[in-house]
Amino acid sequence: MTLSRRRFLCGAGSLLGAYAVADALQLAAASTMPMAMPARLSAATLAAPKVPLVNPVSLARFVDPLPVPPIARAAGRRAHPAYPGRTLPYYRMQMRAFHARLHRDLPPTPLWGYEGLSPGPTIEATRGEPLLVEWINALPAQHFLPIDHTIHGAERSKPQVRAVAHVHGARVPAGSDGYPEDWFEPGHSALYHYPNGQDAATLWYHDHAMGITRLNIYAGLFGAFNVHDAEEQALGLPSGDCDLPLILCDRLVAQDGQLYYPVSDDPSAPWVMQCKGNLTLCNGKLFPYFEVEPRRYRLRLINVANSSFFDLSLSHDQPFQQIGSDQGLLSAPVERTRIELYPAERADVVIDFSALAGQSVQLRQQGEGVMEFRVRDRGRRDASALPASLRPVARIDPAGAVRDRVLTLEEVDDAGGNAMGMLLGGKHWSDPVTEDPRQNSIETWSFVNLTGDAHPIHLHLVRFQVIDRRPFDLFAWNAHRTLKYTGPAQAPPPHEAGWKDTVRADPGMVTRIAMRFEGEPGRYVWHCHLLEHEDNEMMRPYQLLPAQA
Ligand code: C2O
Ligand code: CU
């Protein structure tokens, strides 16, 4: 019997389905036998890859150097109507198809990337210094990953290859934000301007094209975008070549080097609700090593995976000092032996190698080494500092909110029983706008998670604070749509008490956030950052209304 996408989702259930799929693929990778599926998941639910996957155990560890993405260079200066009487640095970012070796012993992998790199070049910005980027679509006319034409926005009438760039975490006018429907085809480009009127933070850019974001990012369209400011610079944190992005994602890699994107066995509706890899890429390499000196380093950890979270630790059991979260510096460093990052979340950490000359340390993901630091003394002195306090984070008082919006996270069947979607507030992408905050007002949003999974929820334009998470009675909600709490509210831990733009909304919990809607009025989006969900209705427009006169 062939299971449709809907059957797969309803029957297998979100939790079991998704994880079992990943396990099954790993199983398939570990043996050369045909895919063995757990009994509860029919073999018909997922199509097997044509070429067997790489067995992770077979790959030599730590034989390739860690790539550090180059710093993007401006192609000159240009005028822009939003900045009369001046010129701004002008960058060109061309999206291209290319091949790269993910590992010394694998054949080259076809990828897409900005400037022919994945991760693309790092854009370095400074607070208050606007810049221009021309995002150029020079991709081929055909996609190399499986498009699901039944998904809203990815119909057959649309060109296969479409792209639009979004800088995640940037406070940017709507016209430069990369609205998912503002995509453009190969041969076209868009000139965006970034005011950078925001505190120092590790942001990242990535594709956001309607209905195919998961495929475009999986193909390699992402890179780092760092904002610096004077106060941060004055702290003396590790800088220069001791400050680098570490961009993490997982991929299913086949033995011929190609990326495999999982599909359901229904060729007319290949969408699957999660995509978990068999291998972890660190700045685009598998199991790289990185030579460091015995001193402090600042790593900007960015999770750019489609749906996997990372649980990172160091092999010598020394803690990380976390100094920043999504939207910039924490009030003080937080010592952590493990760092958990959901898709799109960032953690800036300082690692001190000063006592480790001649040794090596592994970065572990769920206990498995995915990268190695080799500490070699080159006689340079470490002039960096790790101050005991970093930047005050003024708490937003939820009592000052003009509005609390209660928004569900749901996994439901259409009325017609046809397509399974992931919904926000019970609404589809194309439903009229319901979230319409006023510029400069404070609101609190309460995410009521009715599903069995955690969803990382992201709002464009604004930074927010996590107020709390609180368990609630799902049955009471389903029966009368009333919120009945079953336990005390849990305040965020110190590493989540800074500025965020993506928050993990746990199952069975109400997750509350507070934000002031600073920015230009216009149409933005908020969504789940599990890319499979985002592409299939777990994304909503929101309208920032002008401040009341
Ligand atoms: Cu990371 Cu709407 O994006
Ligand atoms: Cu989700």
Side-chain angles (χ1 to χ4, degrees):
M1 184 190 69
T2 300
L3 293 181
S4 69
R5 176 168 90 209
R6 183 165 57 89
R7 285 294 305 277
F8 162 55
L9 290 165
C10 300
S14 60
L15 273 172
L16 176 81
Y19 287 99
V21 163
D23 290 344
L25 287 166
Q26 263 159 24
L27 221 65
S31 65
T32 46
M33 305 283 291
M35 288 240 297
M37 284 287 185
R40 292 173 66 189
L41 237 200
S42 157
T45 55
L46 262 202
K50 289 195 191 72
V51 177
L53 299 175
V54 169
N55 178 354
V57 195
S58 72
L59 282 183
R61 295 310 196 250
F62 318 126
V63 292
D64 293 291
L66 176 81
V68 177
I71 309 291
R73 285 179 180 280
R77 297 184 73 87
R78 290 231 176 149
H80 187 278
Y83 308 85
R86 57 193 284 205
T87 60
L88 307 179
Y90 162 76
Y91 294 80
R92 291 167 61 88
M93 286 289 217
Q94 197 183 61
M95 305 162 215
R96 291 197 292 267
F98 65 102
H99 285 69
R101 245 179 234 281
L102 307 185
H103 184 279
R104 181 194 70 185
D105 299 329
L106 286 178
T109 297
L111 294 167
W112 288 359
Y114 297 94
E115 294 296 293
L117 293 168
S118 182
T122 300
I123 299 178
E124 297 282 13
T126 303
R127 185 175 65 198
E129 295 179 17
L131 57 85
L132 304 173
V133 181
E134 184 166 10
W135 302 99
I136 303 160
N137 185 346
L139 295 167
Q142 302 291 313
H143 216 298
F144 71 101
L145 295 172
I147 295 175
D148 187 329
H149 296 290
T150 69
I151 281 184
H152 184 86
E155 297 81 6
R156 277 187 203 282
S157 56
K158 306 274 190 322
Q160 273 203 14
V161 176
R162 301 173 279 121
V164 59
H166 164 64
V167 177
H168 181 118
R171 186 187 295 169
V172 60
S176 288
D177 192 43
Y179 196 69
E181 291 173 343
D182 287 349
W183 48 262
F184 44 93
E185 294 175 62
H188 295 256
S189 72
L191 181 65
Y192 282 178
H193 69 99
Y194 299 92
N196 301 318
Q198 60 190 106
D199 288 348
T202 300
L203 313 182
W204 61 294
Y205 59 91
H206 61 75
D207 190 73
H208 218 308
M210 194 73 201
I212 52 169
T213 294
R214 69 193 184 292
L215 306 176
N216 287 355
I217 293 182
Y218 198 79
L221 290 167
F222 52 80
F225 187 115
N226 298 331
V227 181
H228 304 273
D229 65 30
E231 290 90 327
E232 185 197 44
Q233 238 121 54
L235 293 172
L237 294 164
S239 60
D241 61 353
C242 297
D243 170 6
L244 61 148
L246 186 54
I247 302 178
L248 302 167
C249 60
D250 60 343
R251 293 291 183 264
L252 291 160
V253 183
Q255 289 173 7
D256 60 0
Q258 308 231 19
L259 297 185
Y260 174 69
Y261 185 88
V263 287
S264 77
D265 78 326
D266 176 356
S268 69
W271 179 84
V272 291
M273 65 181 301
Q274 290 204 30
C275 166
K276 305 236 173 184
N278 59 339
L279 290 159
T280 301
L281 284 168
C282 303
N283 288 351
K285 280 282 181 206
L286 298 170
F287 307 112
Y289 68 86
F290 185 52
E291 270 199 9
V292 295
E293 295 174 66
R295 51 164 292 150
R296 288 189 200 91
Y297 281 76
R298 173 181 186 170
L299 294 183
R300 300 164 182 264
L301 306 171
I302 311 178
N303 181 351
V304 306
N306 280 42
S307 45
S308 295
F309 72 89
F310 290 101
D311 170 10
L312 304 169
S313 57
L314 294 168
S315 61
H316 65 325
D317 289 324
Q318 293 298 303
F320 303 93
Q321 300 286 341
Q322 186 173 347
I323 56 168
S325 55
D326 306 339
Q327 281 283 320
L329 293 170
L330 298 170
S331 57
V334 179
E335 202 168 279
R336 301 182 72 194
T337 50
R338 287 169 60 180
I339 291 194
E340 201 179 62
L341 282 183
Y342 269 70
E345 285 190 306
R346 287 88 74 206
D348 277 29
V349 298
V350 169
I351 306 178
D352 191 348
F353 298 105
S354 59
L356 298 168
Q359 299 180 42
S360 59
V361 175
Q362 286 170 19
L363 177 73
R364 291 181 165 157
Q365 144 66 350
Q366 283 173 346
E368 299 274 358
V370 293
M371 170 183 166
E372 184 170 83
F373 298 98
R374 293 184 188 153
V375 191
R376 215 182 78 194
D377 199 346
R378 290 205 222 102
R380 258 204 312 179
R381 199 174 67 86
D382 185 1
S384 75
L386 180 62
S389 64
L390 298 165
R391 167 174 290 179
V393 177
R395 295 299 296 172
I396 298 177
D397 181 1
V402 296
R403 178 138 194 198
D404 178 52
R405 297 180 194 266
V406 176
L407 298 156
T408 53
L409 316 182
E410 302 176 45
E411 212 178 283
V412 287
D413 226 347
D414 266 2
N418 287 316
M420 180 80 171
M422 313 292 300
L423 302 183
L424 295 172
K427 301 270 195 301
H428 289 82
W429 166 257
S430 54
D431 287 327
V433 170
T434 39
E435 287 70 62
D436 54 355
R438 285 227 171 254
Q439 188 182 23
N440 296 327
S441 72
I442 294 174
E443 293 197 357
T444 57
W445 289 18
S446 300
F447 303 119
V448 183
N449 188 345
L450 307 178
T451 78
D453 296 307
H455 302 265
I457 303 295
H458 169 51
L459 274 72
H460 283 210
L461 183 71
V462 290
R463 59 180 187 176
F464 56 71
Q465 293 177 354
V466 182
I467 308 170
D468 53 29
R469 294 187 178 89
R470 194 164 184 191
F472 72 101
D473 183 342
L474 184 60
F475 297 99
W477 176 275
N478 287 336
H480 347 274
R481 305 276 293 182
T482 48
L483 264 184
K484 197 178 134 207
Y485 292 108
T486 55
Q490 297 157 22
H495 62 268
E496 279 189 315
W499 294 104
K500 298 274 293 163
D501 58 39
T502 306
V503 65
R504 193 189 76 244
D506 287 328
M509 301 284 245
V510 176
T511 302
R512 286 201 304 158
I513 60 169
M515 56 259 154
R516 181 188 294 280
F517 281 89
E518 293 172 313
E520 281 190 23
R523 182 71 54 96
Y524 300 90
V525 300
W526 68 285
H527 59 88
C528 175
H529 221 290
L530 301 182
L531 304 180
E532 284 63 35
H533 297 184
E534 167 181 349
D535 270 351
N536 197 359
E537 301 290 348
M538 213 172 187
M539 176 164 73
R540 287 282 292 154
Y542 84 81
Q543 185 77 28
L544 183 62
L545 302 174
Q548 215 111 39

